[in-house]
Amino acid sequence: MLNFSGRELKPHSPHVLETEGVAKPLLSVRNLEVEFRTSRGLVRAVRDVNFDVAPGEIIALVGESGSGKSVSALSVMGLLPKANSEARGSITFDGRNLLSLNEHEMRTIRGRQISMIFQEPMTSLNPVLTIGLQIIEPLQTHLGLTTAQAEARAIELMSLVGIPDPESRLNSYPHQFSGGMRQRVMIAIGLACNPKLIIADEPTTALDVTIQAQILELMRDLTRKLGISLIIITHNLGIVARYADRVFVMYAGRLVEEGNITRIFETPRHPYTMGLLLSVPRLDQGARSRLNAIEGLPPDPSKEIAGCPFADRCPFRIEICSQPPQLEFTDVGTRSACFRSDEIAEGKLKWRSPQGGGEVVSLPKAKTALVELQQLSKSYWVKKGGIFGRIGEVRAVADLDLQIQAGETLGLVGESGCGKTTVGRLLLAIDKPTRGSIRFDGQDIYQLNKADFARYRHDVQVIFQDPYSSLNPRMTVAQMVEEPMIAHRTERSREARQDRVRSLLDQVGLRPEIAERYPHQLSGGQRQRVGIARALALNPRFIVCDEAVSALDVSIQGQVINLLIDLQKQFDLTYLFIAHDLAVVRHISTRVAVMYLGRLMELASRDELYENPLHPYTRLLLDAAPVPDPELERQRPVRVAPGEIPSPLNPPQGCVFSTRCPLASAECKAQVPQPREVRPGHYVACIKV
């Protein structure tokens, strides 16, 4: 029998969950129920959840937003709002039931024995306190260290998590650190009191692939070295495959599948797990095909669910699914809450998306250049060393030459600070370049008269990363989609505009009743679809997608990616797709450009760049990106670029990557390499290639 990955399935006892030889659990959650009292009534966020965590073990909680992952973690930490929530069941940590403890008793455990790394360090760190004070505070509170002892321990912790020059950085503030460095500070705070358990809630969501790899490699090494247990909450299945020992899949507040990481990925026995795995673009797969996205939305947690909570979205549902399934052992030693797990095991049931997932989509053929960037440069002038410091130049984009063909998708990747978003802003004419030109359909956009520039604004639109902050909270969906038509006077009558709004909402897969709702009444995927509908309202020719799917759950992300591919084919659209998820970029792009510190490092067709990367930086990016395949991840070494990106105020001489490049020589540090064509259509800016 073959498994989910097409490999031969090895025999396994169906009677024992794969925890043989594991010590007594450090954390044991039993029959956990969490309810919130809201204006909509009682919301059951977590329903009868059970799991254990052994000492030194790494487990992962996965599932869509609203599945109960973070609420379960906050229950363990005792951080649920007291005014409107109630947790029942038992959470036994090191022999004590945490739900029976009062707030004072919890404070002696929280931070000392159990710590939490939150999703967004910029909002979790106090902006008015120095980094040093924030690391020192738990040391003095829980361990009673003197100021000198606490400072010495803080310096030791900062060195441990890879922060250079820790003595001088103690007095820095959070805004003076990069995203990766702030996350390292959060890890240092989490490790400060030598806890027994760390809960990491989406610890790398906002991080680039290289920083993500550095952070997670560090956390894994520390858990192994110090015997710390780790719970990772994430929707990145590549991270789960690379680092977790066991995985727990949650849906609608319930556990629907659990078990050993290899078994769950190779032989999933629940349709929801199958759907999640098939919704993920894979870095190691080249064919551009439709993803088997999970259509629809999770059930409303304020309403009672009589049967299987996944039944309305499941392609395998039958009459018995109207009854609630139990979490039971499968033939591979995992546990699944599905009546048809045996049929799945026998290969009788294959996941097929109602939207035709798995179908190969042909790449658009090369046409004439629609967008041409020539020697494009953008500099910002900032003060160095505080408000009284001297003026310094930040070169966000430097001498960029790039063409985007009509009808193609150009993927633009690189670490934060490399200039990706600045390129997008320049193309949208939000900023003006310091030097160089942008030509659209043969015309320099900054030489256009008022009427032609208005037409350019009409033809070029944007899909933002965060739809919630980019949509007006005081306008309905219909008003937001209609607004560009009013501004550009494309539809004269109100009736024509309303017809156009209904048509656009239908094209992006939204029901007509959505038109009268406000952004806060929509899910993340629905808000992103509204952003896409708004971008399409003027029938544009070119769309800048700035991290358009990075904030979405795996299943919603798959839906939006399929939608973007369909719309491109239907309307002959051209995309600039800015992202840090290399698997998504490979799936959707025609060609891919790699940037580093404002400069172009490599440019090639999608398959050529991913299969034959030539620049050392591109290789490091691809090596750092995880693949949702535990067997493959266990075999390949993880290589990460050493150090941090240099300050753009003081970039390296010569090649900007020379300070982190494993191949750098004295020549690299003296000469700025220019992109040159080393193969047909394959450009590399490296003197070693």
Side-chain angles (χ1 to χ4, degrees):
M1 183 166 54
L2 297 179
N3 62 22
F4 193 63
S5 304
R7 303 189 183 103
E8 186 69 26
L9 180 62
K10 299 175 183 178
H12 184 82
S13 169
H15 304 295
V16 184
L17 189 63
E18 292 196 359
T19 55
E20 299 92 338
V22 174
K24 181 181 178 181
L26 174 69
L27 178 73
S28 182
V29 176
R30 290 290 177 269
N31 309 116
L32 180 63
E33 301 263 351
V34 180
E35 295 177 345
F36 292 92
R37 294 178 295 278
T38 72
S39 58
R40 293 186 300 152
L42 199 64
V43 173
R44 297 184 65 191
V46 175
R47 306 177 186 224
D48 195 26
V49 166
N50 298 269
F51 65 89
D52 294 333
V53 184
E57 184 182 26
I58 301 176
I59 73 162
L61 295 180
V62 303
E64 293 169 290
S65 293
S67 63
K69 308 185 302 296
S70 294
V71 173
S72 299
L74 292 173
S75 302
V76 174
M77 293 293 294
L79 292 175
L80 293 173
K82 298 290 188 289
N84 71 330
S85 68
E86 180 182 2
R88 296 189 298 272
S90 69
I91 301 175
T92 305
F93 174 78
D94 210 13
R96 303 176 71 184
N97 184 1
L98 301 182
L99 294 183
S100 67
L101 303 182
N102 59 39
E103 181 59 26
H104 175 73
E105 292 170 321
M106 275 303 302
R107 285 178 181 173
T108 64
I109 294 175
R110 190 189 302 129
R112 174 64 182 92
Q113 298 183 57
I114 307 175
S115 63
M116 190 163 183
I117 300 168
F118 293 95
Q119 180 171 354
E120 176 46 63
M122 193 59 189
T123 57
S124 303
L125 295 172
N126 193 323
V128 300
L129 296 181
T130 64
I131 294 298
L133 283 175
Q134 296 186 65
I135 300 177
I136 288 170
E137 182 182 26
L139 295 170
Q140 294 181 319
T141 301
H142 292 292
L143 303 182
L145 301 185
T146 65
T147 301
Q149 290 172 330
E151 284 187 0
R153 173 64 174 159
I155 292 171
E156 178 187 355
L157 286 164
M158 291 174 74
S159 298
L160 187 66
V161 298
I163 297 176
D165 195 17
E167 292 87 351
S168 64
R169 305 304 290 272
L170 278 176
N171 295 319
S172 298
Y173 289 87
H175 72 273
Q176 296 173 303
F177 277 46
S178 68
M181 295 292 270
R182 286 194 294 265
Q183 196 64 284
R184 291 173 191 235
V185 171
M186 289 296 298
I187 294 173
I189 295 172
L191 292 169
C193 299
N194 296 319
K196 296 179 179 179
L197 172 67
I198 295 176
I199 301 173
D201 189 0
E202 298 282 8
T204 61
T205 296
L207 301 183
D208 300 306
V209 63
T210 52
I211 303 300
Q212 170 184 282
Q214 291 177 16
I215 294 293
L216 290 169
E217 285 293 306
L218 170 68
M219 291 177 68
R220 179 169 63 179
D221 291 345
L222 292 175
T223 57
R224 297 291 187 253
K225 187 185 302 180
L226 304 177
I228 298 170
S229 299
L230 178 63
I231 299 175
I232 299 177
I233 300 171
T234 183
H235 62 253
N236 188 325
L237 297 182
I239 288 175
V240 175
R242 178 177 287 178
Y243 296 103
D245 300 314
R246 288 189 297 145
V247 61
F248 295 80
V249 183
M250 295 190 69
Y251 183 79
R254 296 175 170 89
L255 281 176
V256 296
E257 190 159 12
E258 63 162 287
N260 173 278
I261 185 68
T262 303
R263 294 287 175 176
I264 291 290
F265 273 70
E266 291 188 347
T267 53
R269 292 294 182 257
H270 195 283
Y272 180 60
T273 310
M274 297 171 68
L276 283 180
L277 291 170
L278 289 169
S279 294
V280 182
R282 294 195 43 146
L283 193 68
D284 56 343
Q285 293 178 353
R288 174 165 140 151
S289 59
R290 293 181 55 80
L291 297 170
N292 280 283
I294 305 173
E295 299 299 324
L297 297 171
D300 187 341
S302 65
K303 297 179 180 177
E304 192 58 39
I305 304 170
C308 174
F310 190 60
D312 289 344
R313 304 171 73 189
C314 181
F316 310 144
R317 64 180 177 272
I318 53 177
E319 186 176 350
I320 196 175
C321 298
S322 61
Q323 303 175 22
Q326 300 300 312
L327 200 63
E328 298 178 342
F329 283 102
T330 70
D331 62 321
V332 290
T334 60
R335 293 204 295 169
S336 171
C338 180
F339 292 110
R340 310 192 70 182
S341 62
D342 290 341
E343 293 175 82
I344 294 173
E346 295 166 5
K348 295 179 180 178
L349 303 177
K350 301 291 184 182
W351 183 280
R352 287 291 181 268
S353 169
Q355 300 301 319
E359 299 172 2
V360 175
V361 180
S362 60
L363 293 172
K365 296 179 180 179
K367 300 179 182 178
T368 57
L370 178 65
V371 179
E372 296 176 87
L373 312 181
Q374 297 177 344
Q375 291 294 295
L376 189 68
S377 297
K378 177 62 180 177
S379 294
Y380 297 95
W381 298 91
V382 299
K383 291 196 173 184
K384 301 170 68 175
I387 60 173
F388 300 109
R390 59 190 177 85
I391 298 294
E393 180 186 11
V394 175
R395 298 191 69 186
V397 178
D399 303 323
L400 182 64
D401 289 315
L402 205 57
Q403 288 189 350
I404 305 175
Q405 310 296 324
E408 79 163 339
T409 299
L410 178 70
L412 189 58
V413 302
E415 294 169 292
S416 293
C418 72
K420 305 188 301 294
T421 297
T422 301
V423 172
R425 290 174 63 87
L426 293 171
L427 281 166
L428 294 166
I430 296 174
D431 290 334
K432 290 190 70 172
T434 307
R435 291 191 311 278
S437 65
I438 300 174
R439 304 183 73 84
F440 182 81
D441 211 10
Q443 293 182 294
D444 189 326
I445 66 171
Y446 293 103
Q447 303 297 323
L448 298 176
N449 59 38
K450 187 175 181 180
D452 289 338
F453 189 75
R455 183 65 194 177
Y456 176 75
R457 289 283 197 199
H458 177 283
D459 288 341
V460 178
Q461 295 295 311
V462 60
I463 302 170
F464 293 101
Q465 176 176 358
D466 184 358
Y468 196 72
S469 62
S470 59
L471 298 178
N472 191 326
R474 294 178 176 85
M475 296 175 71
T476 65
V477 168
Q479 290 170 333
M480 285 183 285
V481 177
E482 182 185 16
E483 186 182 32
M485 306 178 211
I486 298 173
H488 286 269
R489 301 177 182 177
T490 56
E491 301 289 350
R492 296 291 181 178
S493 70
R494 179 171 176 78
E495 292 75 15
R497 292 196 299 270
Q498 290 177 337
D499 288 343
R500 175 72 173 147
V501 168
R502 285 191 289 269
S503 174
L504 286 166
L505 294 181
D506 181 64
Q507 286 169 355
V508 299
L510 292 175
R511 296 187 296 271
E513 59 267 26
I514 293 290
E516 301 308 315
R517 296 184 185 176
Y518 290 87
H520 72 275
Q521 297 173 306
L522 307 177
S523 70
Q526 288 174 324
R527 286 195 291 265
Q528 194 63 288
R529 289 171 184 258
V530 171
I532 295 171
R534 180 182 167 90
L536 292 172
L538 300 176
N539 289 319
R541 300 168 62 191
F542 179 62
I543 297 179
V544 176
C545 304
D546 189 4
E547 298 280 9
V549 298
S550 64
L552 303 179
D553 293 317
V554 169
S555 54
I556 305 300
Q557 182 187 82
Q559 294 176 19
V560 173
I561 290 171
N562 283 344
L563 174 63
L564 290 172
I565 293 174
D566 291 343
L567 292 172
Q568 182 177 47
K569 184 177 180 181
Q570 183 178 353
F571 298 108
D572 197 25
L573 294 170
T574 303
Y575 294 139
L576 174 66
F577 194 84
I578 300 169
H580 63 254
D581 189 324
L582 299 178
V584 170
V585 171
R586 177 166 195 174
H587 183 82
I588 200 171
S589 299
T590 314
R591 292 185 302 143
V592 180
V594 181
M595 289 186 68
Y596 181 81
L597 214 62
R599 293 188 176 275
L600 181 67
M601 298 285 104
E602 190 163 3
L603 171 67
S605 66
R606 180 197 64 190
D607 291 337
E608 171 69 14
L609 185 130
Y610 278 81
E611 293 170 10
N612 300 295
L614 297 179
H615 197 284
Y617 179 58
T618 309
R619 293 174 187 165
L620 285 168
L621 282 179
L622 295 175
D623 285 342
V627 174
D629 185 329
E631 185 172 324
L632 180 62
E633 283 297 333
R634 269 32 173 202
Q635 292 173 352
R636 70 181 188 125
V638 180
R639 293 196 305 139
V640 295
E644 295 284 319
I645 300 177
S647 168
L649 276 168
N650 187 28
Q653 299 295 317
C655 175
V656 289
F657 188 59
S658 61
T659 57
R660 302 171 73 195
C661 181
L663 305 179
S665 63
E667 186 181 6
C668 298
K669 298 177 181 180
Q671 178 182 340
V672 178
Q674 298 301 317
R676 55 191 176 86
E677 190 172 19
V678 295
R679 294 174 183 167
H682 195 155
Y683 297 83
V684 183
C686 179
I687 62 176
K688 298 291 185 180
V689 176

